[in-house]
């Protein structure tokens, strides 16, 4: 009798072991929809993330990337993931400001942090904790999707150095920068990336911007206008976020959830490195093609900074969660300023430039 019980127990353990092994080796075939077409370099960022996930999970999670329009239009990515049309999404959070203004704080803030500072706030500060709270309201789990540096600025036919020169012109931009410029008398339209060139070429737009030098260069705006109004005050960092349907996320074992987090951190740093190098290379290309960079006057920058504060103060009064996110960012900026000021005197410039007085960023 005892031998029979041992035999039964052994069989039960064998079945349990086989069941656990099968569960551990289960393959997940996911769809990722994005807001970008294939011609924009951020499509490569989504592909990089998908490839990284497959490698570090040893093929347990396979992600097929679908560019804008392949399954859903660019501006339907958020709802597609939320509603289970796709397991994952990849997008610029500023596109979702109509759902909650707090999403824009995770895309780019005018006169805000740079990519390294934002990434530090996300990982070592309160950023990701607050992001989980925000996205969780909509049944989504957020992951870092790459940060591309400061945006370039606005392409214009004539050299402009005063923000007032944009008044009455038709300009493409998104996020809070769009609303701030609207308040200053500029006609703004938030066209998706794939539609900008044609509108600019046909004169539907007088001025256009999309992103950083590296991301924008392939879009060919320099063929239409040879001047750029800089700096890119409207978006000092450009953050993409990866979203996962929360029900799908919760169905994953903990080790695969961690693998996705690790892949997102790797993608964040990969994008920062790729973009910063690419930004510098793109500027040389622009210069070789005759593009001129016209710096806004200090008066214009101060006016924009003041208008930005007034605009954001107004938004914060209407949205408690946005107020909490921006307060956290401001606390970090104030903290980091202690170190930022002290270290800036040894910024890396060519020897001759440094010796001639170019010490600070």
């Amino acid at each position: 009798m005892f031998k029979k019980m041992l035999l039964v127990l052994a069989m039960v353990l064998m079945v349990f072991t086989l069941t656990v092994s099968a569960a551990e080796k289960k393959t997940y075939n996911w769809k990722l929809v994005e807001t970008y077409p294939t011609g924009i370099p951020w499509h490569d960022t989504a592909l990089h993330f998908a490839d990284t996930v497959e490698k570090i999970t040893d093929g347990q999670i396979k992600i097929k990337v679908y560019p804008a329009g392949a399954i859903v239009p660019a501006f339907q990515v958020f709802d597609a993931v939320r509603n289970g049309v796709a397991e994952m999404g990849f997008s610029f959070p500023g596109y979702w400001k109509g759902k909650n203004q707090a999403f824009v704080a995770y895309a780019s803030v005018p006169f805000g942090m740079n990519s390294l500072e934002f990434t530090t706030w996300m990982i070592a500060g309160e950023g990701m904790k607050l992001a989980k709270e925000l996205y969780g309201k909509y049944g989504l789990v957020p992951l870092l999707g790459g940060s591309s540096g400061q945006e370039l600025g606005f392409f214009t036919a004539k050299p402009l150095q005063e923000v007032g020169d944009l008044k009455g012109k038709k300009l493409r931009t998104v996020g809070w920068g769009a609303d701030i410029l609207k308040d200053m008398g500029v006609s703004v339209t938030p066209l998706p990336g794939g539609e900008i060139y044609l509108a600019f070429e046909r004169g539907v737009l007088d001025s256009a911007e999309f992103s950083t030098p590296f991301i924008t260069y392939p879009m060919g705006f320099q063929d239409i206008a040879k001047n750029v109004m800089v700096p890119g005050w409207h978006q000092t960092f450009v953050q993409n976020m990866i979203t996962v349907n929360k029900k799908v996320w919760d169905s994953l074992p903990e080790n695969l959830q961690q693998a996705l987090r690790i892949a997102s951190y790797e993608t964040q740093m990969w994008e920062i490195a790729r973009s910063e190098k690419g930004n510098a290379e793109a500027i040389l290309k622009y210069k070789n093609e005759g593009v001129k960079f016209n710096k806004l006057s200090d008066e214009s920058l101060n006016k924009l900074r003041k208008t930005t504060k007034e605009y954001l103060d107004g938004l914060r009064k209407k949205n408690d969660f946005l107020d909490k996110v921006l307060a956290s960012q401001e606390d970090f900026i104030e903290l980091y300023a202690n170190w930022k000021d002290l270290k800036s005197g040894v910024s890396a410039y060519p020897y001759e430039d440094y010796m001639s007085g170019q010490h600070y960023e």
Side-chain angles (χ1 to χ4, degrees):
M1 182 67 177
F2 182 69
K3 289 183 179 179
K4 287 183 179 179
M5 289 176 64
L6 285 176
L7 181 61
V8 170
L9 180 60
M11 292 178 67
V12 169
L13 288 172
M14 185 182 297
V15 170
F16 176 77
T17 301
L18 290 172
T19 302
V20 171
S21 297
E24 288 176 347
K25 294 182 179 180
K26 178 181 176 181
T27 299
Y28 300 83
N29 293 293
W30 287 3
K31 297 184 290 292
L32 182 152
V33 291
E34 57 173 324
T35 54
Y36 308 112
T38 56
I40 292 177
W42 280 326
H43 173 68
D44 297 329
T45 310
L47 293 174
H48 175 86
F49 172 78
D51 182 61
T52 302
V53 169
E54 184 168 349
K55 285 177 179 174
I56 67 175
T57 64
D58 197 24
Q60 275 194 265
I61 300 180
K62 300 178 186 293
I63 302 170
K64 185 171 177 55
V65 175
Y66 293 89
I71 293 181
V72 296
F75 290 163
Q76 291 182 21
V77 165
F78 186 97
D79 288 330
V81 180
R82 185 182 180 187
N83 296 326
V85 174
E87 289 81 6
M88 305 187 81
F90 176 74
S91 64
F92 176 70
Y95 292 144
W96 319 131
K97 76 170 184 171
K99 298 180 184 297
N100 192 318
Q101 289 280 359
F103 283 114
V104 187
Y106 286 94
S108 202
V109 179
F111 296 97
M113 295 179 278
N114 62 32
S115 287
L116 179 59
E117 292 162 352
F118 179 82
T119 301
T120 304
W121 173 72
M122 285 293 289
I123 296 174
E126 296 182 312
M128 186 54 79
K129 174 187 173 184
L130 292 171
K132 288 177 182 176
E133 188 176 345
L134 173 62
Y135 280 88
K137 299 174 188 288
Y138 300 87
L140 298 170
V141 174
L143 297 169
L144 292 168
S147 193
S148 299
Q150 182 173 305
E151 294 215 343
L152 179 57
F154 300 96
F155 280 79
T156 60
K158 297 179 179 179
L160 303 178
Q161 293 179 283
E162 302 297 337
V163 68
D165 293 334
L166 293 173
K167 188 173 182 179
K169 296 189 182 298
K170 295 169 289 185
L171 182 149
R172 184 275 174 193
T173 192
V174 296
W176 287 329
D179 293 334
I180 291 163
L181 287 172
K182 282 180 183 177
D183 289 346
M184 299 177 77
V186 182
S187 176
V188 179
T189 179
L191 289 176
E195 299 177 21
I196 302 171
Y197 183 91
L198 193 58
F200 200 12
E201 183 184 43
R202 291 181 174 177
V204 176
L205 297 172
D206 299 309
S207 177
E209 66 80 35
F210 183 68
S211 186
T212 64
F214 169 60
I215 298 295
T216 303
Y217 181 80
M219 302 177 77
F221 298 164
Q222 67 274 17
D223 298 335
I224 303 168
K226 295 293 186 184
N227 288 278
V228 188
M229 179 186 282
V230 296
W233 58 272
H234 59 300
Q235 292 185 345
T236 55
F237 67 91
V238 184
Q239 180 66 42
N240 282 305
M241 295 293 281
I242 296 161
T243 53
V244 187
N245 179 284
K246 192 172 188 308
K247 290 181 180 177
V248 172
W249 175 269
D250 290 342
S251 72
L252 286 178
E254 188 175 348
N255 68 306
L256 293 183
Q257 291 178 350
Q258 183 66 0
L260 288 171
R261 291 190 195 97
I262 291 169
S264 77
Y265 292 154
E266 190 276 344
T267 298
Q268 181 80 356
M269 298 312 298
W270 177 85
E271 184 63 69
I272 289 174
R274 178 181 80 134
S275 290
E276 286 301 312
K277 179 174 181 288
N279 288 338
E281 292 169 341
I283 292 300
L284 289 180
K285 293 177 183 177
Y286 279 130
K287 288 180 177 178
N288 289 336
E289 294 181 36
V291 174
K292 304 296 182 184
F293 300 98
N294 309 295
K295 289 190 176 182
L296 282 163
S297 68
D298 288 346
E299 183 181 355
S300 281
L301 285 172
N302 287 339
K303 183 177 180 181
L304 284 164
R305 184 69 183 92
K306 182 181 178 184
T307 305
T308 295
K309 186 179 186 309
E310 292 170 350
Y311 172 75
L312 293 181
D313 285 348
L315 289 183
R316 293 170 71 165
K317 291 176 182 177
K318 303 173 186 175
N319 187 319
D320 290 340
F321 192 81
L322 170 63
D323 182 54
K324 183 161 66 170
V325 173
L326 289 181
S328 178
Q329 290 187 357
E330 288 173 352
D331 287 345
F332 179 81
I333 290 169
E334 186 172 350
L335 170 69
Y336 191 66
N338 293 294
W339 172 229
K340 188 175 183 178
D341 180 59
L342 288 173
K343 73 186 180 74
S344 61
V346 290
S347 293
Y349 284 103
Y351 177 78
E352 292 79 8
D353 294 338
Y354 193 93
M355 296 305 291
S356 65
Q358 194 167 0
H359 294 170
Y360 301 97
E361 289 188 47

